[in-house]
């Protein structure tokens, strides 16, 4: 067992789930409402075109209302009665192996439910305006509803097998949404790439579920997590590493990060939904939900920290070199999810902080992605920031709301990111100075590339062409962004008030105060100085100096960052090319060896048959002569034997 065994006991010994009744019997509606919306929109066809987009919004909004009702009902319960389980039906029953289709609503899943339905509904509403001229808008909203329903199933499932169903549902929905404009080659290729890379991660989850069954004889959360201390460390390490592989695929962590940047080929609301509150957070949820496994497997826990740290820095470096506004934000998402994964690897010191940062990241990243969509809407779908500049003068609402997200992601007090990111930095330093330095450096680089993005888009000098006429987006797009901007500004303060988010999650995740060599105020001061230095450098380089319309060649690191740090090249060299060579060799082996052996046997038998056939002449005299010759040979043999 790890040194956090006491905290592990706190998480494992959480109150046993209570059978849902009364208000909690509505848990299934959280998934059912958007799922019904998806079925109506996708099966109803063109008959739903006229109202399909509003039905999609209504389905998501209704799920959020149910979530809010359940949240307040949960608050009214005593601490030991907040975990609720709803049995839907008996799913798998083979001998002693039984897997029910049960839903689990506790503090962790409730947090995700509110985030998914709340931010998801705002993105649905924004999409009404953004997709207003798309001929397949009804289908788009059907896919959005399917995505939300799948993500809700993922976080509400009470066992790993049902979680796997939601996991795959999210993968399918993301494939459909990223490739929604399939007539564009970039979108079609990006959707296939996301689907294939995520299948690699899914192998990890499949292996983890099978190992759980072999080790514990169960795949339910209670059956696995409550017995984690009874398994050997090596068994738990393999399960933890398999879960980490799954998380790397879904949350775009190294080495399975390459799909995320290309996923920007989909409509901007898709980018906001995937990057902010749903798909890329699934890996963080999986690790935190499986906290008892990782706490008892220090090697797997260390691997989580290493993967998070590498991705944190990779995403930040990539974000520094991208001129495409959406891809710059995608690099940012990689980096911020890296922060969450790193925090989740810190054990009880960091679980709650990982979820805290996940929630506020949902606010400010959705704010900025939708803001980027607003900029594109006003700039004839131009995504190159080198063709922007001075948009604050013509898109004031977008500038102000995007600015809230910009300040939040940098961690400027009192904006949301200040509270969550600084908590992660403090927790990281409690693990070791190297881990802490990675988080601080990442914060400084984040401030630089986000300042670069903000300045190139809204400040510096006007660089758009004469045929472009920037204008503010309609209110149906501005209002959701404004709500997200408000949450970006005050969400962190509210969640951190009286340590609310940590106290809320503690019964599920456990919590241990980080031990710091310096005071909390001192750590916050150091972090803020680094952030301000990064931001100042960004403003100095891109506001005071002219921004060339064509990107300069740059140094080696810049060129590598523009090429996504050669992630695709590595995948091609390490996996694709060897795979092609292996496939070609297998084809040759099949044709020459396998088929050659089969064909050789057939040819040999055929040749012998052809020669034997010549003995069958059809003449009686020939057969009589053969019989006489045979009899003579037998007689000679008998004589020789007697002699």
């Amino acid at each position: 067992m790890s040194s956090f065994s006491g905290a592990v006991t706190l998480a494992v010994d959480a109150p046993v789930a209570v059978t849902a009744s009364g208000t909690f019997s509505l848990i299934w509606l959280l998934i059912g409402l958007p799922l019904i919306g998806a079925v109506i929109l996708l099966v109803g066809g063109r008959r739903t075109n006229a109202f399909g987009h509003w039905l999609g919004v209504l389905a998501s909004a209704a799920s959020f209302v149910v979530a809010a009702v359940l949240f307040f009902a949960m608050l009214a319960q005593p601490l030991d009665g907040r975990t609720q389980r709803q049995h839907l039906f008996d799913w798998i029953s083979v001998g002693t192996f039984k897997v029910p289709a049960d839903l689990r609503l506790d503090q962790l899943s409730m947090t995700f439910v509110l985030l998914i339905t709340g931010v998801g509904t705002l993105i649905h509403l924004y999409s009404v305006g953004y997709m207003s001229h798309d001929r397949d808008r009804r289908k788009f909203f059907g896919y959005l509803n399917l995505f939300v329903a799948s993500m809700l199933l993922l976080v509400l499932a009470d066992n790993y097998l049902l979680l796997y169903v939601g996991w795959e549902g999210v993968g399918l929905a993301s494939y459909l949404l990223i490739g929604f404009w399939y007539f564009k080659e970039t979108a079609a290729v990006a959707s296939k790439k996301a689907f294939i890379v995520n299948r690699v991660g899914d192998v990890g989850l499949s292996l983890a579920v099978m190992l759980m069954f072999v080790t514990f004889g169960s795949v339910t959360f209670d059956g696995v997590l409550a017995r984690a201390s009874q398994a050997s460390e090596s068994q738990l390490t393999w399960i933890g590493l398999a879960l980490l592989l799954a998380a790397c695929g879904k949350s775009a962590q190294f080495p399975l990060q390459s799909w995320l940047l290309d996923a920007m080929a989909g409509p901007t609301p898709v980018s906001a939904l995937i990057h902010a509150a749903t798909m890329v957070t699934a890996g963080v949820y999986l690790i935190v939900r499986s906290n008892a496994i990782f706490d008892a497997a220090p090697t797997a826990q260390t691997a989580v920290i290493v993967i998070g740290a590498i991705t944190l820095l990779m995403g930040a470096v990539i974000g520094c070199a991208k001129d495409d506004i959406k891809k710059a934000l995608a690099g940012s998402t990689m980096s911020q999810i890296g922060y969450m994964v790193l925090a989740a690897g810190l054990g009880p010191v960091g679980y709650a902080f990982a979820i805290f940062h996940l929630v506020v990241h949902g606010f400010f990243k959705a704010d900025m992605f939708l803001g980027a969509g607003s900029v594109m809407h006003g700039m004839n779908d131009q995504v190159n920031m080198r063709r922007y500049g001075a948009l604050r003068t013509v898109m004031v609402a977008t500038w102000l709301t995007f600015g809230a997200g910009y300040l939040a992601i940098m961690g400027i007090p009192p904006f949301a990111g200040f509270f969550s990111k600084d908590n992660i930095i403090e927790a990281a330093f409690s693990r070791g100075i190297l881990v802490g330095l990675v988080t601080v450096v990442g914060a400084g680089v984040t401030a630089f590339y986000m300042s670069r993005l903000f300045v190139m888009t809204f400040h510096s000098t006007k660089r758009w062409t004469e045929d472009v006429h920037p204008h503010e987006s309609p209110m149906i797009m501005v209002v959701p962004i404004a709500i997200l901007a408000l949450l970006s500004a005050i969400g962190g303060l509210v969640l951190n008030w009286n340590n609310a988010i940590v106290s809320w999650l503690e019964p599920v995740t456990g919590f241990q105060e980080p031990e710091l060599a310096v005071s909390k105020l001192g750590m916050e001061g150091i972090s803020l100085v680094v952030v301000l230095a990064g931001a100042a450098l960004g403003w100095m380089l891109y506001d005071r100096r002219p921004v060339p319309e064509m990107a300069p060649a740059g140094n080696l690191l810049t060129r590598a960052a523009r090429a996504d740090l050669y992630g695709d090249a590595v995948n091609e060299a390490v996996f694709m090319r060897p795979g092609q060579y292996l496939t070609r060799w297998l084809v040759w082996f099949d044709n020459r060896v396998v088929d050659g052996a089969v064909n050789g046997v057939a040819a040999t038998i055929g040749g012998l048959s052809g020669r034997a056939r010549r003995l069958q002449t059809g003449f009686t005299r020939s057969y009589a002569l053969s019989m006489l010759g045979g009899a003579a040979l037998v007689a000679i043999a008998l004589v020789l034997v007697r002699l």
Side-chain angles (χ1 to χ4, degrees):
M1 291 291 290
S2 71
S3 58
F4 296 124
S5 56
V8 173
T9 302
L10 176 62
V12 171
D13 292 342
V16 177
V18 177
T19 301
S21 60
T23 303
F24 292 105
S25 63
L26 303 176
I27 294 174
W28 71 273
L29 283 176
L30 294 169
I31 304 168
L33 290 169
L35 185 59
I36 292 170
V39 171
I40 293 174
L41 292 174
L42 297 177
V43 176
R46 296 179 180 177
R47 290 167 293 183
T48 62
N49 279 353
F51 61 86
H53 50 291
W54 288 116
L55 176 61
V57 174
L58 180 63
S60 182
S63 185
F64 174 69
V65 171
V66 173
V69 170
L70 291 171
F71 172 68
F72 287 110
M74 183 179 285
L75 285 178
Q77 299 296 314
L79 193 61
D80 60 354
R82 287 182 174 176
T83 300
Q84 302 283 331
R85 179 188 290 121
Q86 183 173 33
H87 178 69
L88 300 181
F89 54 87
D90 294 328
W91 184 23
I92 299 175
S93 180
V94 181
T96 59
F97 180 61
K98 300 183 185 300
V99 182
D102 285 358
L103 302 180
R104 184 187 191 92
L105 189 68
D106 57 17
Q107 291 90 328
L108 180 60
S109 55
M110 186 78 254
T111 302
F112 274 84
V113 165
L114 288 171
L115 180 66
I116 294 163
T117 57
V119 175
T121 298
L122 293 174
I123 293 172
H124 275 70
L125 186 61
Y126 174 95
S127 301
V128 173
Y130 191 87
M131 301 293 289
S132 60
H133 300 296
D134 195 287
R135 60 176 184 168
D136 290 325
R137 179 168 63 167
R138 176 262 314 164
K139 187 186 294 184
F140 179 78
F141 277 86
Y143 292 160
L144 285 183
N145 275 187
L146 178 63
F147 195 106
V148 169
S150 298
M151 189 66 194
L152 288 170
L153 176 60
L154 191 159
V155 300
L156 285 169
D158 191 39
N159 61 73
Y160 285 97
L161 207 55
L162 190 59
L163 180 151
Y164 189 87
V165 175
W167 192 271
E168 291 302 313
V170 170
L172 170 63
S174 66
Y175 167 77
L176 296 171
L177 286 168
I178 294 170
F180 183 74
W181 289 328
Y182 59 87
F183 47 84
K184 296 181 179 179
E185 184 178 0
T186 53
V189 171
S191 63
K192 289 185 287 187
K193 184 176 181 179
F195 190 82
I196 291 170
V197 174
N198 271 273
R199 297 295 74 74
V200 177
D202 293 349
V203 171
L205 186 55
S206 300
L207 290 173
V209 173
M210 288 185 274
L211 288 171
M212 289 172 187
F213 171 68
V214 170
T215 305
F216 303 106
S218 174
V219 294
T220 65
F221 292 155
D222 290 340
V224 172
L225 301 180
R227 302 177 191 169
S229 59
Q230 302 171 13
S232 69
E233 186 176 309
S234 61
Q235 290 174 313
L236 295 175
T237 297
W238 284 112
I239 295 173
L241 292 176
L243 291 172
L244 176 59
L245 177 61
C248 287
K250 201 65 79 182
S251 293
Q253 298 294 284
F254 175 83
L256 301 179
Q257 80 287 350
S258 62
W259 68 269
L260 192 66
L261 293 157
D262 289 348
M264 297 302 99
T268 301
V270 174
S271 304
L273 189 62
I274 289 176
H275 285 244
T278 54
M279 183 169 173
V280 295
T281 65
V284 181
Y285 170 79
L286 182 65
I287 294 172
V288 174
R289 173 61 77 185
S290 308
N291 58 78
I293 293 173
F294 286 95
D295 286 337
T299 301
Q301 202 172 60
T302 301
V304 173
I305 295 174
V306 171
I307 292 297
I310 292 173
T311 313
L312 186 164
L313 296 177
M314 283 183 65
V317 171
I318 290 172
C320 291
K322 292 295 182 182
D323 293 328
D324 182 319
I325 187 171
K326 289 175 66 178
K327 288 193 174 183
L329 288 173
S332 165
T333 298
M334 278 177 56
S335 183
Q336 297 304 306
I337 300 295
Y339 267 105
M340 301 171 206
V341 170
L342 185 151
L346 298 173
V349 176
Y351 289 134
F353 296 150
I355 301 302
F356 184 11
H357 194 57
L358 185 151
V359 172
V360 297
H361 175 265
F363 300 155
F364 60 68
K365 188 51 62 68
D367 170 24
M368 289 189 290
F369 261 115
L370 298 186
S374 180
V375 170
M376 292 166 58
H377 179 273
M379 292 290 291
N380 295 348
D381 289 329
Q382 173 66 258
V383 296
N384 188 350
M385 295 185 294
R386 294 185 180 275
R387 297 302 179 108
Y388 292 168
L391 290 180
R392 71 186 186 282
T393 60
V394 289
M395 303 181 70
V396 177
T398 301
W399 169 57
L400 291 173
T401 52
F402 197 102
Y406 160 64
L407 294 171
I409 193 173
M410 286 197 302
I412 302 297
F415 290 85
F418 167 74
F419 300 98
S420 60
K421 188 181 291 185
D422 273 33
N423 280 332
I424 292 176
I425 291 173
E426 292 163 13
F429 271 106
S430 72
R431 179 62 180 250
I433 186 145
L434 180 60
V435 180
L437 286 175
V438 167
T439 60
V440 171
V441 170
V445 180
T446 298
F448 171 76
Y449 71 73
M450 286 307 306
S451 295
R452 174 182 180 270
L453 184 153
F454 190 69
V455 170
M456 289 178 69
T457 302
F458 296 102
H459 291 264
S460 64
T461 57
K462 166 189 168 182
R463 298 183 300 278
W464 64 80
T465 56
E466 295 299 326
D467 60 323
V468 177
H469 304 285
H471 56 277
E472 191 58 84
S473 298
M475 289 302 294
I476 199 166
M477 293 170 63
V478 172
V479 169
I481 305 175
I483 295 173
L484 289 166
L486 178 62
L487 291 171
S488 301
I490 67 171
L493 183 63
V494 172
L495 292 174
N496 195 59
W497 191 267
N498 253 356
N499 225 16
I501 185 72
V502 172
S503 300
W504 170 258
L505 293 170
E506 187 175 353
V508 180
T509 64
F511 181 68
Q512 181 175 314
E513 283 286 351
E515 297 178 3
L516 299 174
V518 298
S519 67
K520 181 177 177 65
L521 187 61
M523 286 300 306
E524 290 176 350
I526 293 171
S527 174
L528 187 58
V529 168
V530 173
V531 165
L532 292 176
L537 182 60
W539 280 83
M540 181 180 70
L541 292 180
Y542 294 95
D543 189 42
R544 295 188 178 183
R545 300 180 182 181
V547 177
E549 292 185 6
M550 296 297 296
N555 56 34
L556 181 62
L557 181 59
T558 300
R559 293 195 297 272
R562 288 175 184 158
D564 303 340
L565 296 180
Y566 304 114
D568 287 335
V570 170
N571 288 340
E572 180 175 347
V574 176
F575 299 107
M576 193 186 85
R577 295 301 178 193
Q580 287 180 334
Y581 296 141
L582 176 62
T583 302
R584 290 169 185 169
W585 182 83
L586 288 173
V587 170
W588 176 87
F589 184 82
D590 182 60
N591 290 336
R592 296 298 181 88
V593 180
V594 178
D595 287 352
V598 173
N599 293 336
V601 171
T604 300
I605 294 175
L608 293 173
S609 299
R611 287 173 174 78
R613 186 176 58 196
R614 295 176 185 176
L615 301 175
Q616 304 299 319
T617 63
F619 295 112
T620 303
R621 60 180 179 271
S622 298
Y623 299 152
L625 180 62
S626 299
M627 293 170 64
L628 179 61
L633 290 173
V634 171
I636 293 170
L638 290 173
V639 172
L640 293 174
V641 170
R642 287 184 177 182
L643 294 176

